[in-house]
Amino acid sequence: MNFNAYLNDLPIYEPGKDIEAVAKEYGVKEVIKLASNENALGTSLKVVETIKQNAHLAHLYPDDNMSELKEKLARKHEVKVSNLIIGAGSDQIIEFISHAKLNSKNAYLQCGISFAMYEIYAKHCQAKAYKTASKTHNLKELKELYAKHKEEIKLVYLCVPNNPLGECLDKDEIYEFISFCDEDCIVVLDCAYNDYAAFKDPKKKIEAKDLLAKFSNVLYLATFSKLYALGGLRLGYGIANEEIIKTLYKIRAPFNVTNLSLKAGLAALDDEDFVKKSLETNLSELKRYEDFAKKMQISYIDSYTNFITYTFDEKNSGDLCEKLLKKGIIIRNLQSYGMNAVRITIGTSKNNDRFFDEFAKIYKL
């Protein structure tokens, strides 16, 4: 059977391994997953109760205007409702903007290693990818590539902080780069983890209202999957000027977000205590991962997220991940990104203790 030729070389996004599948394959009773950057505290109890209370709505289509959640997000970010679009995860907004700006005659730009869906959606549109030689965000290289190919480049992705590596540009650096780009080039700021970055270092904090006031060519992305712990309900959003949002709505399918997701999002925004505890717990446990790496003489990338990347010279990251799977611990191997490295989600104190214990034994072999 024949399909469009461009699909032949299109990569498929590889999610983290599933807990039940690992338990069955390796015969392990207690499996912990530190691979997909889910909130270590689980879902807010207020959100769980809201889902229970609204389960009877499952047979109804959602409010396609998503008015209640948009109004709450508009107040949170101090923007207009007309500046917002909601998607099934922020990656759906990435799909929208890719189809709005990219085609076979143009290109997008990113740092050497970043979120895989940027390239996958660009290839849906048969667009070319330009990537810096540096794996992390190197503004000098990004500017050089943009200047060299500015006639082609219609989208730039800055993942702040960067997934899967964890590093993060300062706000001032980001503003400087946006100012460097032409107005017809949209700069997408993927802020899925920015709350973590801002909590660790205020210089990393990105405010959507400030972006809109200063720039017409920026799309700010955020998600409920990480800090708000709604990964399983697929809820994210984009903020931009009205022209960009209206264009994205031409691509959006109706009823793209479920009733329960919308209700859960409202409850998640209300539970400020859960958000505060999530940020505090994550930063405290992240410090333990840094201390562990120093103790074990393992190189790591300074992280501003709810995960950390360990890099290796002599050890093989694939072997390390496989040995951990046999112990019932799932982490993310980054060899598919061309790195001998692993990405580890910051878990609960108990799960982190288990990781440190098992990883130390394996690493010393």
Side-chain angles (χ1 to χ4, degrees):
M1 187 175 292
N2 294 319
F3 297 99
N4 289 328
Y6 77 89
L7 293 172
N8 293 337
D9 299 320
L10 187 68
I12 297 174
Y13 182 78
E14 298 180 11
K17 288 184 176 291
D18 180 71
I19 290 176
E20 291 182 3
V22 169
K24 183 177 180 181
E25 181 178 352
Y26 293 91
V28 183
K29 290 184 178 180
E30 293 186 15
V31 178
I32 59 172
K33 186 180 179 185
L34 302 175
S36 298
N37 307 336
E38 293 134 335
N39 190 315
L41 301 185
T43 304
S44 155
L45 294 179
K46 292 182 179 179
V47 172
V48 172
E49 186 58 33
T50 295
I51 293 171
K52 291 178 180 177
Q53 291 174 1
N54 289 278
H56 65 284
L57 299 175
H59 70 293
L60 297 175
Y61 285 112
D63 166 22
D64 199 42
N65 291 320
M66 308 180 199
S67 302
E68 197 173 0
L69 183 57
K70 279 185 185 175
E71 288 168 4
K72 182 161 283 194
L73 286 170
R75 290 193 296 271
K76 170 182 169 62
H77 290 283
E78 298 181 50
V79 297
K80 298 177 182 177
V81 167
S82 56
N83 295 130
L84 279 152
I85 185 168
I86 296 175
S90 57
D91 53 307
Q92 189 175 54
I93 315 298
I94 296 170
E95 181 182 16
F96 295 163
I97 195 63
S98 298
H99 284 278
K101 289 292 287 184
L102 299 178
N103 57 52
S104 60
K105 297 180 180 179
N106 62 29
Y108 85 97
L109 173 65
Q110 66 163 78
C111 68
I113 294 178
S114 200
F115 185 39
M117 294 310 299
Y118 304 154
E119 184 168 11
I120 290 174
Y121 285 133
K123 287 187 174 181
H124 285 187
C125 305
Q126 302 179 63
K128 187 184 297 183
Y130 288 112
K131 300 180 183 181
T132 61
S134 296
K135 295 179 176 66
T136 56
H137 287 83
N138 182 310
L139 285 184
K140 181 176 181 293
E141 291 181 22
L142 285 166
K143 285 182 177 180
E144 288 172 352
L145 270 177
Y146 179 79
K148 184 177 180 180
H149 303 286
K150 66 188 299 182
E151 297 303 318
E152 291 178 88
I153 295 172
K154 300 302 178 184
L155 270 183
V156 180
Y157 288 103
L158 300 180
C159 194
V160 284
N162 191 18
N163 176 29
L165 301 185
E167 102 286 346
C168 190
L169 294 168
D170 287 350
K171 182 190 79 171
D172 292 345
E173 295 176 304
I174 293 166
Y175 277 36
E176 178 192 350
F177 180 81
I178 299 170
S179 299
F180 182 77
C181 296
D182 291 347
E183 286 190 6
D184 189 52
C185 175
I186 293 181
V187 180
V188 180
L189 297 185
D190 189 342
C191 296
Y193 299 88
N194 194 256
D195 288 313
Y196 294 106
F199 189 74
K200 184 177 181 180
D201 183 352
K203 296 194 299 295
K204 312 293 184 185
K205 185 176 180 63
I206 305 299
E207 294 276 13
K209 63 175 181 177
D210 296 338
L211 290 169
L212 293 190
K214 193 171 180 64
F215 304 106
S216 63
N217 61 329
V218 173
L219 173 60
Y220 170 101
L221 300 180
T223 184
F224 284 86
S225 296
K226 308 305 177 184
L227 179 61
Y228 291 98
L230 299 184
L233 292 179
R234 312 307 302 126
L235 186 64
Y237 57 97
I239 301 176
N241 70 44
E242 293 182 9
E243 180 186 10
I244 293 173
I245 297 299
K246 285 180 180 178
T247 301
L248 298 184
Y249 263 97
K250 294 178 180 179
I251 300 166
R252 183 193 74 101
F255 310 118
N256 62 315
V257 175
T258 71
N259 262 329
L260 293 182
S261 298
L262 294 172
K263 295 293 185 183
L266 289 166
L269 290 172
D270 282 339
D271 197 346
E272 296 179 1
D273 289 340
F274 176 82
V275 169
K276 183 174 183 290
K277 184 178 179 181
S278 295
L279 290 169
E280 291 173 346
T281 301
N282 179 76
L283 186 58
S284 174
E285 293 297 316
L286 173 62
K287 181 65 167 58
R288 294 183 66 204
Y289 273 88
E290 294 172 346
D291 292 341
F292 177 78
K294 292 171 185 174
K295 177 183 177 182
M296 298 291 295
Q297 297 183 312
I298 297 170
S299 298
Y300 67 91
I301 297 173
D302 192 22
S303 177
Y304 292 87
T305 63
N306 67 338
F307 61 83
I308 191 167
T309 300
Y310 285 177
T311 63
F312 310 103
D313 293 323
E314 297 179 1
K315 300 289 185 177
N316 182 286
S317 61
D319 291 342
L320 292 170
C321 288
E322 182 66 21
K323 289 174 181 176
L324 281 176
L325 284 174
K326 293 177 181 178
K327 299 293 184 180
I329 300 174
I330 310 170
I331 62 173
R332 190 66 178 265
N333 180 19
L334 296 185
Q335 285 181 334
S336 62
Y337 288 87
M339 290 185 69
N340 186 33
V342 298
R343 187 190 69 186
I344 312 152
T345 302
I346 309 303
T348 62
S349 180
K350 179 181 177 181
N351 287 345
N352 295 335
D353 286 343
R354 183 173 162 191
F355 169 82
F356 296 142
D357 181 57
E358 295 293 352
F359 192 82
K361 294 174 185 174
I362 291 167
Y363 194 72
K364 290 174 183 177
L365 293 176

